[in-house]
């Protein structure tokens, strides 16, 4: 028999979620308090990631400027966590094409190409994390709004 605090079982043969998914979904089984706590933790993570983006720029841009490109923070509207975008040295162009062109030009030695590749891998992983944080925060804001609307309907007098 399932205890009140356990996770509800799925309809797919009554198999509980795998441990990784279970950990990701746990706040939603805890109710509004779990969602609020997750939101607060993700906002703190977002702040830390924004500082990480600043540190990323400071660490890699001196070398990147020497080969004609840079990485800059980019905050899309409505996104709390910044993304890292490729920019030209003059900061007039932006996009992955700048990285591709630099990788394909013949003037870089193999160790320099490897270093540039390593930076790109770190940038891509950072942006994936930023996207996950931003999207989850958006989902949490929507869930909290809907929970509050339902609470208002419950306490509404007729």
């Amino acid at each position: 028999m399932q205890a009140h605090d356990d996770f509800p079982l799925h309809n797919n043969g009554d198999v509980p979620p795998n441990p990784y998914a279970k950990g990701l979904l746990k706040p939603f089984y805890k109710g509004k308090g779990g969602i609020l706590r997750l939101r607060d933790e993700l906002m703190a993570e977002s702040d830390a990631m924004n500082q990480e983006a600043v540190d990323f720029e400071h660490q890699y841009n001196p070398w990147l400027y020497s080969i004609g490109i840079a990485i800059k923070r980019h905050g899309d509207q409505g996104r709390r966590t910044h993304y890292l975008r490729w920019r030209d040295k003059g900061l007039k162009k932006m996009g992955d094409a700048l990285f591709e062109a630099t990788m394909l030009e013949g003037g870089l030695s193999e160790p320099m190409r490897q270093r540039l590749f390593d930076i790109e891998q770190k940038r891509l992983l950072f942006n994936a994390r930023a996207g996950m944080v931003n999207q989850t925060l958006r989902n949490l804001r929507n869930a909290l709004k809907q929970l509050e609307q339902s609470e208002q309907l419950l306490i509404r007098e007729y």
Side-chain angles (χ1 to χ4, degrees), residues 54-89:
V54 170
D55 296 343
F56 197 99
E57 287 180 1
H58 290 159
Q59 180 179 358
Y60 295 112
N61 278 343
W63 181 77
L64 290 170
Y65 281 139
S66 74
I67 60 171
I69 58 176
I71 290 181
K72 292 292 182 183
R73 288 168 282 137
H74 185 76
D76 295 333
Q77 184 178 5
R79 307 290 194 259
R80 182 174 170 85
T81 309
H82 293 152
Y83 294 93
L84 295 170
R85 303 285 192 229
W86 288 106
R87 301 294 301 257
D88 68 330
K89 195 172 182 179

Side-chain angles (χ1 to χ4, degrees), residues 93-106:
K93 296 179 183 177
M94 177 173 64
D96 294 343
L98 295 165
F99 165 75
E100 292 170 13
T102 305
M103 283 294 282
L104 294 174
E105 76 180 34

